[in-house]
Amino acid sequence: MAHQDDEEADSVIAEGNRNNQQLPRTVFFYFDLELLYNPIVLTRVVYSIGSAYSFIGWIIYLVPFAIDIGISSYRAASLSAIGGIGNLLGNATFPLLKKKLSNEHILYLTTLIGSLSLVVCPLFSSTSSYTALTVPSFIFGYSRGLGILASQHIAKENIEEDKITNTFTWLFVAFSIGSVTSGFFSGWIYDQTGSYTVSFLLLGLFALLSVGPQPFVDSKRNQKKSHQYSRLSPEDDDRQE
């Protein structure tokens, strides 16, 4: 009887060990962590974090900065609405711009322009002009609206259809991570520097770095496509036609 109990105990322990070994694999496949090994998805994740960080940081800095330079609190708060209008128009005009430029080019241009609009905000500190500050606010919102759509389209056009849902899940998770970290670090940066100039400059730099890995991924992808095309024989081209 004791021997039978020992065998049952050993069986339970062995089953528990197997479950423990399978748990990491189950988590890996359940959350589709394999997607993060895909350079396309990884660069979109990095961009989502950077985009969220710069956006939340912009909201945190914009209103108190505007009040600090002499703009009324009501007008200062409305500057974020100006950015929202720019974002809306960016979304609306994306299909028109996409006819002229690739998603990658739209992403590069809008990230550069959006970063510059963050950097120039403190330059208006001596003017105390609400009208002048609406310009970078609108440009930042517009460029961000275009950039987000371009990033999503890059993912959609280069990821297998059955992976799209999990890919976008990771992008939204990354956006949340960027939003949360920005809420903490943006305030900390200003507390440490006491300067809106430095704070906006770091926001612009971080936004610019978020798209940094993309050109390398594009280059490798284009090289791979060129290599595939070069391997096609004339007979293959005729059959495809």
Side-chain angles (χ1 to χ4, degrees), residues 69-158:
I69 65 175
I71 296 174
S72 67
S73 58
Y74 172 78
R75 283 192 158 194
S78 70
L79 287 171
S80 58
I82 299 295
I85 293 172
N87 189 286
L88 178 62
L89 292 177
N91 291 335
T93 57
F94 177 79
L96 298 177
L97 194 59
K98 195 174 184 300
K99 294 180 181 179
K100 303 293 183 180
L101 298 171
S102 67
N103 291 317
E104 290 77 9
H105 287 157
I106 294 174
L107 184 66
Y108 300 149
L109 288 173
T110 55
T111 301
L112 177 60
I113 294 171
S115 299
L116 290 175
S117 69
L118 290 171
V119 172
V120 302
C121 274
L123 299 180
F124 297 98
S125 59
S126 60
T127 65
S128 301
S129 173
Y130 169 80
T131 303
L133 204 54
T134 61
V135 175
S137 299
F138 178 85
I139 291 175
F140 177 74
Y142 184 78
S143 62
R144 184 178 178 277
L146 288 172
I148 290 293
L149 285 179
S151 178
Q152 292 176 351
H153 276 257
I154 291 173
K156 185 178 179 181
E157 293 175 0
N158 292 279

Side-chain angles (χ1 to χ4, degrees), residues 15-29:
E15 182 67 22
N17 290 335
R18 283 194 296 270
N19 291 336
N20 290 335
Q21 292 174 355
Q22 292 176 354
L23 181 61
R25 183 178 299 179
T26 301
V27 172
F28 185 88
F29 286 105

Side-chain angles (χ1 to χ4, degrees), residues 210-224:
S210 69
V211 80
Q214 186 66 38
F216 300 101
V217 174
D218 293 340
S219 176
K220 287 187 177 182
R221 188 170 74 247
N222 292 335
Q223 288 177 1
K224 184 177 180 180

